Amino acid sequence: MSQQQAKLPLDPHLKALENEAIHIFREVAAEFERPVMLYSVGKDSSVLLHLARKAFYPGNIPFPLLHINTGWKFDEMISFRDKMVSDFNLQLHSYTNPRGPEENITPFNHPRYTDIMKTEALRTALDAGKYDAAFGGARRDEEASRAKERIYSFRTSDHKWDPRNQRPELWSIYNGDIFKGESVRAFPLSNWTELDIWNYIKAEAIPVVPLYFAAEREYIERDDMIILAEDKRLELKPGEVKQKGSIRFRTLGCFPLTGGIKSQATTIDDIINEIQTATVSERQGRAIDKDQAGSMEIKKREGYF
Amino acid sequence: MSELASIKTETPQESTEVMEMSTDKIPLRFITCGSVDDGKSTLIGRLLWDTKVVPDDIAANSHAGRDSDNSELSLPDFANLLDGLQAEREQGITIDVAYRYFSTQKRSFIVADTPGHKQYTRNMATGASTADLAVLLVDARAGILEQTRRHLNIVSLMGIKQVILAINKIDLIDYNQERYDEIISEFNTLSKPLGFSSITTIPTSAINGENVVSQGSEALSWYEGPTLLEALELASKRSVQSIGFRLSVQRVSRPDETFRGYQGTVSGGSIKPGDEVIILPSGERANVSQILTFDLVRNAAVTGDAVTLVLDRQVDVSRGDMIISVGGQPETGYAFDSKLIVLNDNGLNADKRYWLKSASRRQKVRIQAEEVLDLNQGEWLASKDLSVNKIAKVRLKFDDIAFFDPYQSNRDTGSFILIDPDTNNTVAGGMITESVSNVTQLESTDMSVVVLPTHILRQLEQTDLFKENESLIKQLQFNPTDLTAT
């Protein structure tokens, strides 16, 4: 058995969320020819991976994982990812859009960086793998347009989402019928909140990237964001100085675009406490959500997760 | 019943819906519904704001948009907290369901804010299908409209037993109690035949925050009942006391030659190792040898559990089959009566074969319209009109054997969707009311119906004659009502 030590029974609310997610995993795996799981290395992906292992136990996860690597992720994310792959014997494909290095597109110099290195990269990788279903760890409580999305989210053959014309989705009966070239994004964590994620990580002892926990780290402040200053590619602008302090990250993405928070939360219990008293939302530190009104919706319509 | 030749050995309970006090930690799921512009999104926005669950950065983002007096009060535009799509903010309407998650000291909630426009009824039905309770809004000035009636009927159809009627914008009729009572009286006439177990009526002003989380102003002192939040905190979770064990097989797990497990979610009853089960549709029997999960080998599985079952012998089981207990079986047959809501703009076509999906099973089906609900009179009228948004009683006709529970006994095994194979769209959502008597199915063929004591049937089953003709012998299930009919 996977976990020998006696474990407390899950809280019924978390148990219900777990059951729902497992049901969705099994349904997609049974109905689609080539599913893939988007693995972004963050806490939601950690939970998603854990649930996938549970859903197919005693078998292995019957589909590969796909990591869209922009090349600008936190170093700790990449080392954590590689450890997960070897610990759990996962089949993981990593894809980086070659336009990044070829055209020197970076988060610092290109206004369409996210479109090219994330959305375009994702579309290319999904097409290349001929995947007809892609699991993602998105939650409805993250953002207003995600609050509107179905658990099975239909995509056209060019990966477009039409939020005005979603299929009805009644009870837990999912319609996975698609024509060739079309696809479905499936979101087993739709009904989870940030707090549920942390309570579950605690209850199940799920490993997460250490950047979620507060520690003394070097950072700079730029555009009201706390940017981790560990990567050599970060060039300081005039007037910017490296500072040291106890910071952590509520979400993880590309290091130049993901703001940290000053925090003393070094344990999961601390984090849970901090979230319960927080007055700003989880994605507040994410620059990409804010470039224009309805920003996430626009990205999602173009194929972003 | 026990001496009748029926493979059903337990009498099903009538009306199996039971309410539990809200002692567990599972969130209450509710929807807001009603006609367009009754203030649903504003009400939920107000509820979230007054329970202090709106983060600062989200509130700051919600000021822009439609006309609102709230900017002067440094309050956000409440509807913008919910209407997350650009088109919604531009048009000032709700197009699709928004799901929100919030908690108070007493309990947690999942609210689905559903659209009022008739055009988006399919999205309202999406939200209603999983709800424990419905908050139905009425604009106090406009009263009960056609779409209010449609939503109320969909709520009833979906088996939601608790309704909170919020008579909103009460400030705009000068807190007039007479008008309030008038609307309630009209509502009571409408809701009477729909069988709700609990109806709470509340005069509210979502925009002013009256009777949402805080009490109303002095002008509302004639109202002594609970606020919306208080009523929600007191509401019950819906739970279903199922007739028997049900597990719809999602996939067969075969990691190696030695292991074969059937994966699915228990959607009724419970099971433990050693229990005898029947596989539908084959009718084969086996015993459960193991209930497997990632964490441990279980000594029981109950409703809601996602498990892997291992059986003690080789039986033919594939996706879409159902593993059930020997007692309290679902109804089997080639025709079922159901109610459905048409969700497709082009309506349903009686000449067409649709895919019916229920639990993990899919089958081709034809539909025959019997009656359509007249929303104004609240009456079922003979009609074949299956155009969009119609609520209809239809007969489902299958080529292959089908099996369901009535929706009121089991939501998972009594609900279905129809998929149009030409467009792949979900074109209807439906609920099984009953199987059409198997007896009438046989009338054109050369068969006889015999009623036998169970112990004689069991002996008969052991004979070669029976085994050789098994495919021809239909085992019927009788309800007490069937017997009085024959």
Side-chain angles (χ1 to χ4, degrees):
Chain A
M1 284 299 99
S2 48
Q3 311 218 335
Q4 293 298 335
Q5 72 275 39
K7 212 176 71 179
L8 289 173
L10 267 184
D11 158 299
H13 171 48
L14 293 179
K15 185 76 200 164
L17 289 171
E18 178 188 86
N19 283 329
E20 179 183 57
I22 290 175
H23 182 84
I24 295 163
F25 265 119
R26 288 171 171 175
E27 203 61 12
V28 172
E31 283 210 310
F32 289 85
E33 284 174 26
R34 291 182 65 83
V36 67
M37 183 178 123
L38 269 290
Y39 180 70
S40 71
V41 204
K43 63 185 191 310
D44 302 314
S45 282
S46 284
V47 168
L48 201 61
L49 174 60
H50 186 73
L51 289 164
R53 293 175 58 223
K54 284 196 166 193
F56 302 107
Y57 181 83
N60 293 321
I61 298 174
F63 42 77
L65 275 57
L66 174 64
H67 181 217
I68 301 301
N69 188 356
T70 57
W72 293 87
K73 300 292 173 188
F74 294 89
D75 286 346
E76 279 183 69
M77 291 173 73
I78 303 303
S79 51
F80 178 87
R81 179 197 75 182
D82 294 343
K83 183 170 174 358
M84 290 298 108
V85 167
S86 84
D87 283 1
F88 299 132
N89 194 21
L90 304 171
Q91 189 195 344
L92 180 130
H93 305 306
S94 176
Y95 178 78
T96 303
N97 191 341
R99 284 182 65 191
E102 281 166 19
E103 301 172 32
N104 187 31
I105 296 168
T106 78
F108 306 112
N109 69 8
H110 206 291
R112 292 191 59 244
Y113 164 80
T114 303
D115 295 337
I116 296 164
M117 297 310 290
K118 294 178 90 171
T119 311
E120 185 183 293
L122 176 62
R123 287 197 306 244
T124 308
L126 290 175
D127 287 342
K130 295 190 168 60
Y131 300 118
D132 55 359
F135 294 100
R139 291 177 285 112
R140 286 172 176 156
D141 91 319
E142 278 179 90
E143 195 272 337
S145 65
R146 284 188 170 167
K148 298 266 166 182
E149 196 159 11
R150 301 280 190 259
I151 287 174
Y152 271 34
S153 186
F154 175 81
R155 300 300 154 112
T156 60
S157 54
D158 50 358
H159 303 282
K160 292 236 170 24
W161 179 52
D162 181 2
R164 298 197 56 170
N165 204 10
Q166 300 192 81
R167 287 178 179 174
E169 188 166 86
L170 291 91
W171 302 287
S172 48
I173 311 173
Y174 305 108
N175 175 359
D177 289 12
I178 54 169
F179 293 115
K180 200 170 166 53
E182 297 169 343
S183 63
V184 157
R185 306 268 171 100
F187 299 109
L189 304 181
S190 287
N191 288 317
W192 296 54
T193 64
E194 186 187 13
L195 197 56
D196 294 329
I197 291 287
W198 282 110
N199 282 325
Y200 189 72
I201 287 170
K202 182 187 172 191
E204 296 281 303
I206 299 169
V208 292
V209 182
L211 287 165
Y212 285 110
F213 299 99
E216 289 289 315
R217 295 186 172 98
E218 273 200 315
Y219 64 90
I220 60 160
E221 289 187 21
R222 176 180 292 176
D223 305 331
D224 290 330
M225 272 170 48
I226 292 176
I227 308 285
L228 192 73
E230 287 179 353
D231 194 298
K232 290 188 190 68
R233 294 173 294 177
L234 179 71
E235 290 172 22
L236 297 196
K237 293 178 182 173
E240 288 178 343
V241 278
K242 286 190 184 178
Q243 311 175 41
K244 198 153 189 181
S246 180
I247 62 165
R248 74 174 200 91
F249 293 84
R250 246 176 119 177
T251 68
L252 292 179
C254 299
F255 82 86
L257 301 175
T258 309
I261 51 172
K262 289 178 180 164
S263 167
Q264 304 296 327
T266 56
T267 67
I268 294 183
D269 283 327
D270 293 343
I271 289 174
I272 289 169
N273 263 326
E274 193 182 272
I275 295 167
Q276 283 176 315
T277 53
T279 58
V280 293
S281 72
E282 179 182 3
R283 294 190 68 89
Q284 195 263 343
R286 296 293 282 263
I288 65 157
D289 292 9
K290 283 178 267 178
D291 10 6
Q292 47 192 306
S295 185
M296 176 67 87
E297 179 185 343
I298 293 166
K299 290 191 178 66
K300 286 176 70 65
R301 280 154 70 162
E302 296 304 314
Y304 181 72
F305 243 86
Chain B
M1 279 299 288
S2 58
E3 63 269 32
L4 292 172
S6 149
I7 50 170
K8 189 187 278 181
T9 57
E10 277 179 13
T11 314
Q13 309 279 315
E14 266 194 333
S15 182
T16 46
E17 199 88 356
V18 272
M19 295 297 175
E20 273 176 6
M21 285 306 289
S22 56
T23 46
D24 62 307
K25 298 173 80 177
I26 298 184
L28 183 84
R29 297 186 74 126
F30 71 97
I31 56 166
T32 51
C33 58
S35 197
V36 62
D37 282 338
D38 287 349
K40 294 176 290 298
S41 302
T42 304
L43 184 84
I44 296 308
R46 172 55 90 170
L47 195 59
L48 298 176
W49 182 256
D50 286 358
T51 50
K52 301 187 171 52
V53 294
V54 182
D56 295 348
D57 51 319
I58 305 291
N61 255 327
S62 303
H63 286 284
R66 61 184 92 167
D67 296 336
S68 166
D69 300 331
N70 280 0
S71 47
E72 291 163 29
L73 304 167
S74 76
L75 291 170
D77 181 326
F78 292 124
N80 271 354
L81 293 174
L82 277 300
D83 291 338
L85 301 177
Q86 278 186 326
E88 294 179 322
R89 289 178 174 221
E90 282 160 19
Q91 297 172 49
I93 59 163
T94 304
I95 291 172
D96 212 330
V97 200
Y99 294 91
R100 289 287 158 166
Y101 307 79
F102 72 101
S103 316
T104 64
Q105 293 292 331
K106 295 205 171 99
R107 79 184 318 174
S108 58
F109 300 94
I110 301 176
V111 53
D113 177 40
T114 71
H117 275 82
K118 187 176 174 183
Q119 186 188 349
Y120 302 118
T121 300
R122 60 177 187 272
N123 298 333
M124 179 273 171
T126 292
S129 68
T130 51
D132 301 304
L133 175 148
V135 178
L136 183 71
L137 268 83
V138 172
D139 181 333
R141 296 168 303 176
I144 290 165
L145 304 171
E146 185 193 87
Q147 191 66 349
T148 323
R149 294 165 196 264
R150 180 174 284 110
H151 280 190
L152 186 68
N153 275 286
I154 294 174
V155 162
S156 159
L157 217 56
M158 293 284 176
I160 299 172
K161 296 285 178 194
Q162 306 171 90
V163 174
I164 296 175
L165 178 69
I167 298 176
N168 194 33
K169 306 193 184 183
I170 195 82
D171 52 319
L172 299 183
I173 57 158
D174 296 325
Y175 304 95
N176 184 328
Q177 188 181 0
E178 265 175 51
R179 174 67 182 141
Y180 173 77
D181 290 339
E182 225 173 78
I183 295 172
I184 290 178
S185 145
E186 190 188 349
F187 178 81
N188 285 342
T189 315
L190 273 182
S191 62
K192 206 164 185 183
L194 298 178
F196 297 113
S197 66
S198 146
I199 295 171
T200 310
T201 53
I202 307 175
T204 59
S205 165
I207 202 95
N208 297 339
E210 296 185 81
N211 278 336
V212 179
V213 173
S214 315
Q215 300 280 318
S217 60
E218 190 56 33
L220 267 178
S221 56
W222 49 264
Y223 173 76
E224 291 174 340
T227 64
L228 176 63
L229 184 65
E230 285 165 351
L232 290 170
E233 285 179 336
L234 287 171
S236 321
K237 277 293 290 177
R238 152 159 52 182
S239 71
V240 170
Q241 187 189 318
S242 310
I243 296 165
F245 176 75
R246 306 279 184 271
L247 183 137
S248 187
V249 176
Q250 290 184 276
R251 62 192 297 275
V252 181
S253 171
R254 298 205 63 185
D256 58 50
E257 289 303 308
T258 61
F259 184 89
R260 193 181 185 91
Y262 305 106
Q263 302 190 312
T265 305
V266 180
S267 52
S270 62
I271 198 93
K272 55 186 192 311
D275 284 357
E276 186 175 29
V277 290
I278 299 173
I279 318 300
L280 292 181
S282 74
E284 285 190 85
R285 288 171 183 238
N287 291 79
V288 174
S289 63
Q290 212 180 24
I291 302 166
L292 209 57
T293 66
F294 180 84
D295 300 292
L296 68 171
V297 175
R298 305 267 294 260
N299 49 24
V302 299
T303 303
D305 287 346
V307 296
T308 301
L309 288 188
V310 183
L311 302 180
D312 67 344
R313 70 199 79 158
Q314 279 283 346
V315 278
D316 183 17
V317 185
S318 51
R319 174 174 166 82
D321 290 355
M322 198 181 286
I323 301 177
I324 62 166
S325 51
V326 175
Q329 299 189 9
E331 297 182 31
T332 53
Y334 292 85
F336 282 82
D337 282 337
S338 75
K339 292 175 183 169
L340 59 73
I341 308 165
V342 183
L343 305 171
N344 176 32
D345 286 342
N346 297 325
L348 297 186
N349 183 343
D351 300 325
K352 195 163 183 166
R353 273 188 163 72
Y354 292 94
W355 280 117
L356 178 143
K357 196 174 175 199
S358 176
S360 62
R361 187 171 174 80
R362 61 157 65 218
Q363 282 177 279
K364 281 284 173 74
V365 68
R366 275 172 303 126
I367 46 177
Q368 179 187 314
E370 309 265 329
E371 291 174 343
V372 171
L373 184 65
D374 174 81
L375 288 167
N376 294 317
Q377 304 302 319
E379 285 167 9
W380 293 95
L381 306 175
S383 167
K384 304 282 180 204
D385 178 12
L386 293 180
S387 57
V388 64
N389 296 329
K390 289 282 188 249
I391 297 171
K393 287 184 181 173
V394 304
R395 180 158 294 181
L396 306 172
K397 293 178 165 179
F398 297 92
D399 298 333
D400 303 318
I401 192 91
F403 39 89
F404 296 97
D405 288 298
Y407 182 75
Q408 64 158 4
S409 309
N410 191 321
R411 264 213 255 192
D412 294 327
T413 53
S415 59
F416 63 86
I417 60 170
L418 297 182
I419 300 170
D420 184 336
D422 297 329
T423 62
N424 287 336
N425 280 329
T426 305
V427 294
M431 289 127 289
I432 298 294
T433 39
E434 58 194 324
S435 77
V436 179
S437 170
N438 290 291
V439 180
T440 58
Q441 298 280 304
L442 304 178
E443 60 197 3
S444 63
T445 55
D446 185 19
M447 291 195 185
S448 303
V449 179
V450 181
V451 178
L452 292 174
T454 305
H455 68 275
I456 295 182
L457 173 69
R458 293 286 171 263
Q459 289 171 28
L460 205 60
E461 280 175 354
Q462 303 308 315
T463 63
D464 289 343
L465 182 70
F466 188 95
K467 286 173 182 164
E468 282 159 19
N469 294 288
E470 202 161 4
S471 64
L472 291 174
I473 300 169
K474 290 184 190 285
Q475 295 206 12
L476 308 185
Q477 296 165 43
F478 284 99
N479 290 318
T481 48
D482 291 329
L483 278 180
T484 45
T486 37

